[in-house]
Structure formats: C-alpha cells, structure tokens
Amino acid sequence: VQLVESGGGLVQAGGSLRLSCTASGFGFDAYTIGWFRQAPGKQREGLSCITSSDGITYYTDSVKGRFTISYDNAKNTVYLQMNSLKPEDTAVYYCAADSTFYTGDYLLARGMNYWGKGTLVTVSS
C-alpha cells in the first residue's frame, strides 16, 4: 500500500489549505482512509477519516466545523479541506489507511496500519 500526501505549506492564521493523499496498492475493496497530525513535542492526533465504500466520515472534536474530509473514488484520492487555520494547527500531517474492520472512531484513536510520509503545514500568526 502506498499513500502519497501533498498540499502542505505555509499559510497565515485564518487561511485555508487543502491536503491531498493518493492511495494505491490496496488488496481489498473497501478501506478507511484518513488524516493524522503530529506537532513538535506532542503526541500524534487523529483528525478525520472516511470509508471508501460508503463515504461515512468521522471527525475529532478539535477539527469539527473547520476541516472537511472527502474522497474521490475515481482518483483514489482523499482530501482534507482545512479552513480557519490557527497557529496551533502547525504540524506534520499524515495520511493513513486501514481495513474497514474497525470503526473510524476507533482507528482515529488507535492509529492505522498504513502510513504516508507526511506533509508539513505551518500556520503563522
């Protein structure tokens, strides 16, 4: 399984960014794919995920209302639209995926089996 992120960069507080993650190599039809982040000196945090088969979405409370996840089946690409960004959103953002055996809430808390290399998002004040 390969997950390749793009779209990170530098943005001012209040601005927006859209992250993309293209997936390939899955040996199963349906999977859960999502986003995590890790800021310097902090634990990894699960943000949001979506199931490829039926588009069910999950969000952690810290990003509800500001971040939106979506999935393009034709492109095998998941997006994370991030609005109203804050300096505390600065982190390396990782795309991750797993089977649909577990719920999205559980996977966001536990982590997933497959990971991208990450893309850096920096929000300036």
Side-chain angles (χ1 to χ4, degrees), residues 3-4 18 26 29 32 37-38 43 46 49 59 64 89-90 115:
L3 301 169
V4 180
R18 189 178 79 157
F26 285 101
D29 292 334
T32 298
R37 69 184 178 190
Q38 188 163 21
Q43 286 191 330
C49 61
Y59 295 93
K64 278 181 183 176
D89 293 316
T90 295
W115 294 87

Side-chain angles (χ1 to χ4, degrees), residues 12-18 63 65-68 80-86 89:
Q12 287 189 334
S16 299
L17 276 177
R18 189 178 79 157
V63 302
R66 295 193 301 128
F67 292 7
T68 303
L80 187 69
Q81 177 67 43
M82 306 187 294
N83 298 328
S84 302
L85 285 163
K86 307 172 183 178
D89 293 316

